[in-house]
Amino acid sequence: MDLQIYVVVERLNRLQNEEKTSEIGFREDLEEATKLLLKLKSKLNKNPKQDDHDAISELVTRIDQVSCEIEDAINEDHRAIIGIISNNCIKIRGLSCLGLSSCSSWRRRREHDPHAAGTIKQKFIQLREYYQEILCHHRDYPILLHEEDQEVNTPVLLKEAIGLDEHLERQVIQQLITINNDDNNNMQVVSLCGIGGVGKTTLARQVFNSSDEISFEFFRIIWVNVSPSFTIRDILVQILRYCTKAADEFAREREDTLANRITDYVSKGGRFLIILDDVWSTQVLDDLLHRLRILPFHHKAHRVLVTTRKRQVAEYGIPKPFIFTVRGLTENGSWELFMDSYRRHSGGDEVVRADMEEVSRKMVKRCGGHPVAIIKLAQVLAGRESLNEWNTVHQHLMSILNDSVLQQILTPSFDDLPDHLKLCFLYLGLWPEDSVIDVEKLYHFWIVDGIVKLQDMREGGGSLDIAERYLTELEKMGMIEVEEEDVPTVTRLKSCRLHKMMRLLSISKGKEINFSQYLGSDSSPSSSSSSSRKRVRRLSLCLERQEDTASAIDLITKNKHLHSLHILDPHKQQVRKPVKILPFDVEELKLLRLLDFDGVDFGSYDDKLSGDDQKQNTGLVLQGLSKLVHLKYLSFKRCFLDEYLSLPITSNLQILDLRVDDLINEVILPNVLRNMRRMKHLYLPRMFKTHDGEKLRLDGMTELETLENFITKVCNVADLQTMNKLHSVSVKVDGDFPDLQFINQHLKKPSNGQIQLSIDIRNFDCFVDQRHSLIREVLEYSGVRIFSIEGHINELPSRYNISQGLTKIVLIGSELEKDPMQKLFKLPNLRVLVLDDNAFEGTNMVSPASGFTQLRHLELLNLKFLESWTIENNSMPKLSNMKIENCNKLKFPDGLKSLTALKELEIAKMPTKFVHLLRKMDPTQGEDASLVNYEKITFPISHEITRSEDADKAEASSSALQIT
């Protein structure tokens, strides 16, 4: 209810901030309605009551519906105004539509539809009436909740640790008992972090009860239950109870006195292990460790084990804690727990029949290793004896798991989020189960939908920066898992994942406020039928079978008030051919703001059609795009379509993504982009040309912040001068000295700030000083992030004259005489380095000690002169992926065994002896003696353990290679 009101307030705020509201004159009504709703939100927050919950909830839902109708009516009126303006522009050639009066346009609209303004006014009256009705229900609310009414979140503890990861348990115990030589710190923290109910408390109990080993190492093992409403006094008293039977006598003493008593007991004994279970706030650690650390605990290596669902709590502490991520049960552990629970609820040693085992294993897998979900599944299946009954359960599995037990475990995590992060989290339910979510796309969705707050952007930072901050906060709150970009440029993060049960929570909470609708093979049958009374605003369709497309198009045509439409074909993740989408009339979706095609096949539906007919048939899918005057986002990312792409001219478009599938060699674009003057983020195809053969004009795009795949061969570099707000640009220069010179001079202008540059220079030999000088200047530019060059440069500049911000360097055919490692090893942010086609012509290469501290990926390709490579101590400590190809003279690298973080090594076109030596590093590899054209060696990786500040160092030490 509270979130639903917040959504309405944000909807009205967004309308107030849009230009069209001023044009048609409802700003005062919107301001008044917003104030009323903020008052209502405050009242409901202060005085919640359950008696009239259903009645109030129904009224809040009506307010939501009326606000949607207000928004639609304003948008439709604005669309009609634009239609009037367009008609007049057609009649009066040469007259700019911007010169027409908005008031005049509104008067024309009233003449066309005299009831338009009255209808919208009536909606505002309705909203005020519902507000008054809620106050009538709310009038007798008590001021405060009684203590017994307050909700307490109790951690779930499984009776037996069935299916628990014993390897993880072993690692946790080892970390707790180990005393390092430099362990002068008396209260080292070890954290168990994971989503609610995933088994953190059960694992901690196993440690608590792990008999001899823990008991031998620790004089006292103390268990403390921490709740969201903790007091430091309660925690100190709980600790004291393990020290003395008289603890309750001291319960009323001051907190400092209690802490002193604990110190007295600790000083008399050995090491202490304090387990803090279910910690929700860093304040617990602040208050407790501050009191205990200042006391004389010296040189006893005490430990604190924390269980928490919040990453920010797990990472908190000085020195930084060791963090173990608890992701749930393994596949075998999940099955073991399921069978145990199934037998228990079936009342015997019942075995799952062979014909039922396949479907039951599928259901267990969909539980994502979540113990509570697995136990719930076993309860539901117990007593059901037919295969049909089990198939029915499988079909409705997600609805079955979304019961009060699961909600009780996961909902507190959602409720703890700020309102704007709750909406961010609900958006994640638009993706299919187990999706790797593209965060760049997600950020744009949030921006277009108004979830990224204007006030946050006013305080500093671009919209993408703010969106990334939101996602990082979700990760720290334990709602998602994120993966960093291999080569960070505009954003630090690459993708995020949602646990199956957290996705279920996202969908469930979204349904409560009619946030969105998702249709895919993993959605329950009931989810495909939307309420006729409610308007669906966001629709996500996952196409996995050709037969899905008809029902998908039918759902689109039934929801003409859509604001966001996402059509996704996850064919690449599923390793199959894409599904071909059926034609639909986009023009009917008049209020659409966001249209996202992801991996969709726009190819012909009839292979017998000629080329022109195929284009016409494909065009049916996209017809009417130019009529969508509210459209702000349009994407064809990873899509399959014809060479020629017909783009709509829509003045409100802010984000356009044309990065089609890599299998499409070249896209032919109409030269119309310069007319989209509100564009902020433009992603051009990897390869393209214009329909008329002229250079693509972008000179009208003065609001542009992001520009990707700017190819100087088909774009005019002078257009960059008009982009005063440009924050990030990726450029490809093909042998053109004047173009590169212009880009370099433009970047150095103080008025441009620091534009982040990714540059790919091809066919550019530097045999004269003028060219050498230009390359040196580009490398020195502080904003350059990715630098790739193909051509002779002979020598790199001094390491002091190379930008410290570089994250990726690719050198092809550079013919360097001096070892490039000596110039590059100090770059603090370098993640990827590629040396190809005799980039280095020397015979000996050395990776210096303690150098390349951030390097993750290294490729040595076609270096025909290279004979030896020495890797000095602690060089490339984070290198995880390496490729060596066609370096025929290279002997086995000295120091290769010291690369303890190495996970994957690819070898191609290398001598047999070289490959044999590598195989000895990994005993799991075969002993094939033939010449190997391609070999991939994957090294063993241990269970995840990170230390927050020195994460990779700890990971490297825990995943060292077994050398034989």
Side-chain angles (χ1 to χ4, degrees):
M1 212 162 38
D2 178 67
L3 180 60
Q4 198 162 10
I5 296 174
Y6 174 80
V7 170
V8 176
V9 169
E10 289 299 299
R11 181 179 295 132
L12 300 184
N13 275 332
R14 185 173 62 246
L15 281 173
Q16 288 181 63
N17 292 322
E18 291 180 352
E19 292 178 14
K20 61 192 171 194
T21 307
S22 299
E23 292 177 1
I24 58 180
F26 288 106
R27 190 177 297 281
E28 291 181 3
D29 297 278
L30 289 166
E31 288 176 354
E32 181 191 355
T34 303
K35 288 177 182 177
L36 288 178
L37 291 169
L38 287 172
K39 283 183 184 179
L40 178 60
K41 188 174 186 292
S42 177
K43 285 177 179 291
L44 293 179
N45 280 342
K46 288 180 181 177
N47 305 319
K49 185 182 178 182
Q50 300 302 315
D51 294 348
D52 290 335
H53 179 275
D54 292 342
I56 293 176
S57 180
E58 174 62 26
L59 289 167
V60 169
T61 299
R62 291 182 189 177
I63 286 176
D64 183 26
Q65 291 171 10
V66 171
S67 72
C68 287
E69 291 167 5
I70 290 172
E71 182 181 30
D72 290 349
I74 289 175
N75 285 334
E76 286 172 357
D77 283 334
H78 184 253
R79 187 173 184 273
I81 291 171
I82 291 176
I84 294 170
I85 293 172
S86 300
N87 290 336
N88 279 281
C89 287
I90 293 170
K91 291 174 184 175
I92 308 172
R93 299 273 180 192
L95 179 63
S96 170
C97 65
L98 296 175
L100 290 177
S101 164
S102 297
C103 295
S104 171
S105 302
W106 175 237
R107 283 195 296 271
R108 290 174 183 275
R109 166 64 173 151
R110 282 182 172 177
E111 291 169 7
H112 177 72
D113 183 2
H115 300 292
T119 301
I120 296 176
K121 286 286 186 184
Q122 186 61 39
K123 299 296 181 186
F124 282 112
I125 293 170
Q126 269 186 287
L127 192 148
R128 285 192 289 270
E129 288 174 351
Y130 290 143
Y131 168 78
Q132 293 296 335
E133 197 171 342
I134 289 177
L135 291 187
C136 291
H137 286 277
H138 186 268
R139 188 171 297 159
D140 297 325
Y141 274 24
I143 294 175
L144 293 171
L145 279 172
H146 295 296
E147 189 174 333
E148 60 269 20
D149 293 330
Q150 295 181 359
E151 182 180 350
V152 177
N153 302 309
T154 305
V156 175
L157 179 64
L158 303 181
K159 293 181 179 179
E160 299 177 43
I162 298 169
L164 190 70
D165 187 342
E166 294 179 0
H167 179 62
L168 177 57
E169 180 188 350
R170 180 71 244 155
Q171 281 194 308
V172 173
I173 292 174
Q174 193 63 40
Q175 188 62 50
L176 290 170
I177 66 177
T178 300
I179 301 176
N180 300 319
N181 293 330
D182 58 346
D183 196 354
N184 294 320
N185 189 350
N186 49 32
M187 291 292 281
Q188 175 64 57
V189 176
V190 177
S191 300
L192 303 180
C193 184
I195 69 171
V198 82
K200 302 180 298 295
T201 299
T202 303
L203 177 56
R205 277 288 179 190
Q206 283 293 103
V207 172
F208 183 73
N209 297 322
S210 57
S211 61
D212 297 342
E213 195 165 16
I214 289 289
S215 300
F216 178 79
E217 291 288 338
F218 293 99
F219 176 66
R220 282 282 184 271
I221 307 168
I222 298 167
W223 184 280
V224 180
N225 291 310
V226 184
S227 68
S229 56
F230 81 98
T231 67
I232 191 63
R233 177 186 298 279
D234 291 340
I235 293 174
L236 291 172
V237 170
Q238 287 188 64
I239 294 173
L240 201 55
R241 284 184 182 133
Y242 283 86
C243 302
T244 173
K245 294 180 180 179
D248 291 336
E249 298 176 12
F250 310 132
R252 295 184 179 278
E253 291 181 343
R254 291 175 54 192
E255 292 168 1
D256 289 341
T257 305
L258 291 171
N260 281 325
R261 290 189 182 279
I262 294 171
T263 304
D264 290 340
Y265 287 106
V266 171
S267 62
K268 297 173 185 176
R271 300 174 69 192
F272 270 54
L273 169 61
I274 301 174
I275 301 175
L276 301 177
D277 185 43
D278 198 31
V279 180
W280 284 72
S281 169
T282 57
Q283 189 181 345
V284 176
L285 301 177
D286 258 343
D287 289 352
L288 178 62
L289 299 183
H290 172 72
R291 283 173 171 78
L292 298 185
R293 275 192 176 134
I294 62 175
L295 303 171
F297 279 43
H298 302 304
H299 308 298
K300 289 190 177 179
H302 304 295
R303 294 290 182 261
V304 176
L305 179 62
V306 172
T307 74
T308 180
R309 56 182 73 188
K310 290 187 176 183
R311 194 82 185 177
Q312 63 191 28
V313 174
E315 293 175 345
Y316 193 77
I318 300 175
K320 296 296 184 181
F322 285 91
I323 303 171
F324 291 88
T325 302
V326 183
R327 291 193 169 87
L329 307 181
T330 62
E331 188 171 340
N332 290 336
S334 297
W335 182 252
E336 183 184 352
L337 177 61
F338 169 76
M339 288 305 302
D340 180 83
S341 301
Y342 177 70
R343 292 189 189 103
R344 190 183 304 126
H345 290 100
S346 299
D349 295 331
E350 198 165 329
V351 178
V352 175
R353 295 201 323 252
D355 60 337
M356 294 180 174
E357 183 171 339
E358 183 180 356
V359 67
S360 59
R361 283 189 178 274
K362 288 180 181 179
M363 286 188 278
V364 170
K365 187 175 181 180
R366 289 192 71 188
C367 291
H370 198 284
V372 179
I374 293 168
I375 293 171
K376 175 65 179 178
L377 174 63
Q379 289 175 346
V380 172
L381 292 176
R384 299 174 190 262
E385 299 180 356
S386 73
L387 180 59
N388 285 339
E389 287 179 297
W390 283 42
N391 283 329
T392 301
V393 171
H394 188 199
Q395 190 177 12
H396 296 272
L397 180 60
M398 291 296 105
S399 299
I400 291 169
L401 293 180
N402 186 25
D403 66 350
S404 58
V405 177
L406 201 55
Q407 287 297 309
Q408 182 183 352
I409 296 165
L410 296 179
T411 294
S413 295
F414 179 81
D415 292 341
D416 196 47
L417 296 173
D419 286 335
H420 68 285
L421 290 186
K422 288 177 180 175
L423 294 184
C424 291
F425 179 72
L426 295 187
Y427 236 113
L428 297 171
L430 293 175
W431 274 266
E433 197 173 287
D434 297 325
S435 288
V436 178
I437 299 172
D438 179 350
V439 299
E440 182 184 63
K441 184 183 285 283
L442 178 64
Y443 295 162
H444 287 317
F445 289 177
W446 289 349
I447 292 166
V448 169
D449 216 358
I451 294 176
V452 174
K453 293 181 176 181
L454 284 173
Q455 68 182 63
D456 287 340
M457 287 190 280
R458 292 189 190 110
E459 291 170 2
S463 54
L464 289 174
D465 298 326
I466 305 301
E468 183 147 281
R469 188 203 306 167
Y470 290 176
L471 191 71
T472 302
E473 289 172 4
L474 281 176
E475 189 255 346
K476 287 186 176 296
M477 298 287 274
M479 307 300 289
I480 59 170
E481 292 185 6
V482 299
E483 181 184 355
E484 288 194 359
E485 281 278 13
D486 298 328
V487 184
T489 50
V490 180
T491 60
R492 178 179 61 87
L493 301 177
K494 177 182 180 181
S495 61
C496 67
R497 291 174 181 267
L498 204 59
H499 189 279
K500 294 175 189 286
M501 294 301 106
M502 295 303 281
R503 178 177 177 270
L504 177 59
L505 177 69
S506 175
I507 293 172
S508 172
K509 290 297 178 182
K511 281 182 180 178
E512 289 179 10
I513 63 169
N514 194 36
F515 183 80
S516 61
Q517 186 172 348
Y518 168 81
L519 179 64
S521 63
D522 55 338
S523 57
S524 61
S526 59
S527 66
S528 60
S529 56
S530 60
S531 170
S532 59
R533 191 169 60 88
K534 297 180 180 179
R535 296 184 178 185
V536 175
R537 292 307 199 186
R538 302 167 189 86
L539 179 60
S540 179
L541 306 172
C542 181
L543 306 178
E544 299 183 65
R545 301 168 300 179
Q546 192 62 51
E547 52 267 32
D548 293 338
T549 58
S551 57
I553 300 305
D554 182 57
L555 196 56
I556 292 172
T557 56
K558 289 179 179 177
N559 291 280
K560 296 183 179 180
H561 290 87
L562 283 175
H563 286 183
S564 299
L565 175 60
H566 315 268
I567 303 179
L568 166 68
D569 185 348
H571 62 275
K572 288 196 174 180
Q573 290 186 31
Q574 299 174 359
V575 195
R576 59 170 175 78
K577 290 183 178 180
V579 173
K580 292 181 179 178
I581 190 171
L582 295 174
F584 66 94
D585 191 355
V586 172
E587 186 179 352
E588 291 296 313
L589 308 176
K590 299 176 182 179
L591 304 178
L592 206 60
R593 292 200 301 253
L594 190 153
L595 180 57
D596 174 43
F597 298 105
D598 192 339
V600 174
D601 187 358
F602 287 95
S604 170
Y605 315 107
D606 187 348
D607 296 334
K608 297 178 182 178
L609 291 175
S610 65
D612 290 340
D613 288 339
Q614 284 184 6
K615 288 181 182 179
Q616 184 179 0
N617 199 34
T618 303
L620 289 173
V621 181
L622 303 176
Q623 65 183 357
L625 277 175
S626 60
K627 303 290 185 180
L628 303 180
V629 298
H630 303 295
L631 193 66
K632 294 182 178 180
Y633 176 100
L634 177 62
S635 175
F636 299 97
K637 196 170 185 179
R638 292 180 284 267
C639 288
F640 294 85
L641 37 72
D642 292 321
E643 273 188 357
Y644 181 78
L645 181 60
S646 176
L647 289 174
I649 302 176
T650 170
S651 60
N652 280 322
L653 201 61
Q654 295 179 6
I655 301 164
L656 177 61
D657 196 336
L658 302 175
R659 292 173 293 183
V660 296
D661 193 272
D662 288 341
L663 293 176
I664 298 177
N665 294 326
E666 193 173 58
V667 177
I668 302 174
L669 297 178
N671 216 335
V672 297
L673 292 177
R674 64 188 296 261
N675 298 317
M676 302 178 189
R677 299 182 181 274
R678 296 188 181 183
M679 187 72 68
K680 293 185 177 181
H681 305 279
L682 175 61
Y683 304 91
L684 293 167
R686 181 177 54 86
M687 294 294 292
F688 66 92
K689 61 183 179 181
T690 60
H691 180 60
D692 55 11
E694 299 291 327
K695 286 198 171 186
L696 186 68
R697 294 191 61 181
L698 304 174
D699 50 307
M701 309 182 88
T702 57
E703 298 293 315
L704 210 59
E705 297 175 13
T706 305
L707 175 58
E708 189 160 315
N709 293 328
F710 183 84
I711 304 173
T712 60
K713 198 171 185 178
V714 289
C715 295
N716 192 340
V717 292
D719 291 348
L720 293 173
Q721 295 180 113
T722 65
M723 303 173 190
N724 299 321
K725 297 183 180 180
L726 198 61
H727 175 68
S728 173
V729 59
S730 72
V731 180
K732 184 174 181 180
V733 181
D734 194 351
D736 196 306
F737 177 81
D739 282 351
L740 183 58
Q741 189 176 44
F742 182 92
I743 291 169
N744 178 54
Q745 292 172 349
H746 177 69
L747 292 172
K748 290 193 294 187
K749 290 180 180 178
S751 59
N752 290 327
Q754 189 181 86
I755 300 172
Q756 290 192 12
L757 172 68
S758 300
I759 189 162
D760 183 5
I761 306 168
R762 299 282 167 166
N763 302 315
F764 201 90
D765 290 320
C766 300
F767 289 108
V768 296
D769 288 342
Q770 189 181 27
R771 289 190 164 224
H772 264 298
S773 177
L774 181 56
I775 292 300
R776 284 196 295 269
E777 288 186 30
V778 174
L779 271 170
E780 194 174 3
Y781 172 60
S782 59
V784 64
R785 295 292 177 264
I786 298 177
F787 178 84
S788 176
I789 185 168
E790 178 192 55
H792 172 87
I793 57 177
N794 189 51
E795 185 178 359
L796 289 172
S798 161
R799 69 170 185 251
Y800 303 107
N801 295 322
I802 298 177
S803 172
Q804 300 293 290
L806 276 161
T807 58
K808 179 178 180 179
I809 296 177
V810 179
L811 303 177
I812 305 171
S814 303
E815 299 177 341
L816 299 171
E817 294 180 358
K818 296 181 180 179
D819 183 359
M821 297 288 188
Q822 304 303 314
K823 301 284 184 75
L824 305 176
F825 78 103
K826 286 287 188 180
L827 295 178
N829 298 298
L830 189 64
R831 299 284 191 95
V832 176
L833 175 60
V834 178
L835 303 177
D836 189 7
D837 192 18
N838 292 327
F840 173 48
E841 290 193 327
T843 58
N844 304 313
M845 190 165 67
V846 177
S847 298
S850 302
F852 296 107
T853 56
Q854 297 298 321
L855 194 68
R856 266 76 165 176
H857 185 96
L858 174 65
E859 294 186 18
L860 304 177
L861 315 172
N862 306 302
L863 304 179
K864 65 181 180 181
F865 301 106
L866 185 63
E867 296 179 7
S868 71
W869 176 29
T870 301
I871 302 167
E872 294 185 348
N873 185 44
N874 203 31
S875 183
M876 302 182 286
K878 298 182 180 181
L879 188 70
S880 57
N881 296 82
M882 183 163 62
K883 183 176 182 180
I884 302 175
E885 178 179 331
N886 197 27
C887 301
N888 293 323
K889 293 183 179 181
L890 180 62
K891 300 170 185 175
F892 189 80
D894 183 17
L896 186 65
K897 295 179 181 180
S898 67
L899 300 178
T900 55
L902 193 62
K903 297 177 182 177
E904 190 172 280
L905 173 58
E906 292 184 66
I907 302 297
K909 301 178 183 177
M910 292 295 289
T912 307
K913 184 178 178 181
F914 189 93
V915 177
H916 281 330
L917 289 170
L918 285 173
R919 281 178 178 153
K920 288 182 179 180
M921 290 180 63
D922 184 5
T924 62
Q925 301 299 320
E927 293 295 333
D928 184 3
S930 61
L931 181 63
V932 178
N933 285 327
Y934 179 82
E935 178 92 4
K936 179 184 286 188
I937 298 177
T938 303
F939 296 102
I941 306 169
S942 71
H943 201 284
E944 176 184 351
I945 171 176
T946 59
R947 187 168 185 168
S948 196
E949 187 172 19
D950 302 314
D952 297 277
K953 181 179 178 182
E955 182 178 288
S957 64
S958 67
S959 61
L961 297 175
Q962 303 298 314
I963 307 298
T964 59

